[in-house]
């Protein structure tokens, strides 16, 4: 009887070990644990980040990338907090540099000055653009050479936008935006407004220009990636991603991938690669 009980017990132990071993094998075969990377910030960087996420998730089935287009200011202030990765389309201010964030430039982008597709105006000088945005020029007759008249509808991004900060600095009117200018919180909203208003002028990421609006020349230079690269088109800025001190390994791997040949190949579709 004792021998039979021992045999039954040993068989139980053996089966238990087999099931345990099978469980370990199944766990190992499941691959890396799932992980979600939260990304937030610049709406200008968002279209590029969405392309990054699509390709990265194809190769890393355990990773999900959530992207929130909330503006550069939010991306900077919440990097390492609400977001593992923040996005900015402008340089950080001295105060923001004191936050201890790691900055990585992932692309260079031109800022295109855009108008309604039916507008006869195809070129403005930097000085004319500055005067329009500060209110020194208020009617198209003042810059059109007789081809157009009408009160100018000045369209800008909202306060805190990376695109606005870069545009104001590069054109030279920081803090002097015309009172009463129409301010929008996204690239899409600006394009939609200009597409419906023949008197409007605005600015967006060069990589976001499509056939709904017209990008005009500045100082006689066409806004293009080649002209940004060779320095002849002056209105350009970096796309930056930001991380805090305690960065998860998966977030670090994603940022490193953005700088890889695969990531920079995506950049070169519509923007300027940095490697």
């Amino acid at each position: 009887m004792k021998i039979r009980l021992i045999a039954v017990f040993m068989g139980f132990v053996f089966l238990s070990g087999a099931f345990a071993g099978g469980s370990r094998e199944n766990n190992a075969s499941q691959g890396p644990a799932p992980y979600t990377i939260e990304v937030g910030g610049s709406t200008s960087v968002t279209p590029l980040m969405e392309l990054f996420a699509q390709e990265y998730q194809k190769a890393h089935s355990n990773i999900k990338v959530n992207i929130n287009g909330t503006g550069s200011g939010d991306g900077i202030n919440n990097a390492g907090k609400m977001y593992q990765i923040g996005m900015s389309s402008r340089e950080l201010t001295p105060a923001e540099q004191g936050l201890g964030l790691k900055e990585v430039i992932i692309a260079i982008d031109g800022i295109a000055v855009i108008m309604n597709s039916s507008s006869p105006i195809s070129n403005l000088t930097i000085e004319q653009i500055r005067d329009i945005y500060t209110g020194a020029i208020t009617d198209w007759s003042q810059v059109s050479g007789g081809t157009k008249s009408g009160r100018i509808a000045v369209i800008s991004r909202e306060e805190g936008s990376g695109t606005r900060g870069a545009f104001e600095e590069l054109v030279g009117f920081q803090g002097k935006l015309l009172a009463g200018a129409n301010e929008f919180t996204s690239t899409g909203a600006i394009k939609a407004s200009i597409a419906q208003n023949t008197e409007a002028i605005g600015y967006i990421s060069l990589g976001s220009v499509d056939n709904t609006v017209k990008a005009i020349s500045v100082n006689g230079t066409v806004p293009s990636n080649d002209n940004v690269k060779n320095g002849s088109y002056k209105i350009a800025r970096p796309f930056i991603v930001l991380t805090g001190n305690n960065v998860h390994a998966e977030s670090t791997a994603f940022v490193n991938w953005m700088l890889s040949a695969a990531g920079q190949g995506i950049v070169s579709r519509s923007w300027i690669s940095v490697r």
Side-chain angles (χ1 to χ4, degrees):
M1 185 67 177
K2 288 183 179 180
I3 293 173
R4 185 178 177 184
L5 289 173
I6 291 171
V8 171
F9 177 74
M10 292 300 292
F12 177 78
V13 171
F14 175 79
L15 289 174
S16 297
F19 283 124
S23 177
R24 284 193 294 268
E25 288 179 6
N26 288 338
N27 288 339
S29 66
Q30 289 174 359
Y35 186 76
T36 299
I37 302 173
E38 295 290 342
V39 183
S42 170
T43 62
S44 295
V45 181
T46 293
L48 173 57
M49 190 61 64
E50 288 173 341
L51 294 176
F52 280 157
Q54 289 171 12
E55 291 302 314
Y56 195 75
Q57 289 170 153
K58 288 179 184 177
H60 301 80
S61 59
N62 64 310
I63 299 299
K64 181 180 180 181
V65 182
N66 284 338
I67 303 170
N68 305 276
T70 53
S72 292
D74 181 61
I76 294 167
N77 291 327
N78 282 303
K81 300 173 185 175
M82 185 181 299
Y83 312 123
Q84 282 94 5
I85 299 172
M87 302 180 289
S88 176
S89 54
R90 62 168 173 81
E91 299 284 359
L92 272 64
T93 65
E96 291 167 342
Q97 290 170 0
L99 296 175
L101 300 172
K102 180 180 179 182
E103 304 174 47
V104 177
I105 297 175
I106 56 171
I108 303 296
D109 179 53
I111 300 177
V113 178
I114 59 171
M115 297 182 64
N116 186 277
S117 297
S118 66
S119 174
I121 296 174
S122 58
N123 177 74
L124 291 171
T125 66
I126 285 279
E127 291 75 16
Q128 287 172 328
I129 296 168
R130 183 188 307 130
D131 286 346
I132 288 170
Y133 272 86
T134 58
I137 291 175
T138 58
D139 195 284
W140 286 117
S141 61
Q142 296 173 261
V143 294
S144 69
T147 62
K148 182 175 176 57
S149 62
R151 187 167 184 82
I152 301 172
V154 177
I155 293 179
S156 176
R157 284 296 303 271
E158 81 287 3
E159 185 70 38
S161 158
T163 307
R164 173 171 167 171
F167 186 74
E168 289 189 358
E169 179 180 353
L170 293 165
V171 177
F173 66 99
Q174 300 102 308
K176 299 178 181 178
L177 177 65
L178 169 69
N182 299 296
E183 299 181 34
F184 291 91
T185 59
S186 72
T187 297
I190 286 181
K191 288 196 294 185
S193 180
I194 288 179
Q196 298 170 10
N197 188 344
T198 58
E199 310 303 327
I201 183 172
Y203 55 88
I204 61 172
S205 162
L206 179 55
S208 297
V209 173
D210 57 27
N211 60 10
T212 65
V213 293
K214 178 174 73 173
I216 66 169
S217 297
V218 177
N219 288 347
T221 301
V222 174
S224 69
N225 285 351
D226 285 342
N227 286 338
V228 172
K229 285 181 181 178
N230 64 34
S232 60
Y233 188 82
K234 305 295 185 181
I235 310 177
R237 42 63 188 278
F239 278 179
I240 301 170
V241 293
L242 308 133
T243 54
N245 293 322
N246 299 314
V247 190
H248 193 281
E250 294 289 7
S251 297
T252 298
F254 184 36
V255 172
N256 289 340
W257 179 86
M258 295 177 198
L259 298 173
S260 71
Q264 290 298 297
I266 292 171
V267 171
S268 62
R269 294 178 191 175
S270 298
W271 299 271
I272 298 168
S273 61
V274 294
R275 291 192 174 180

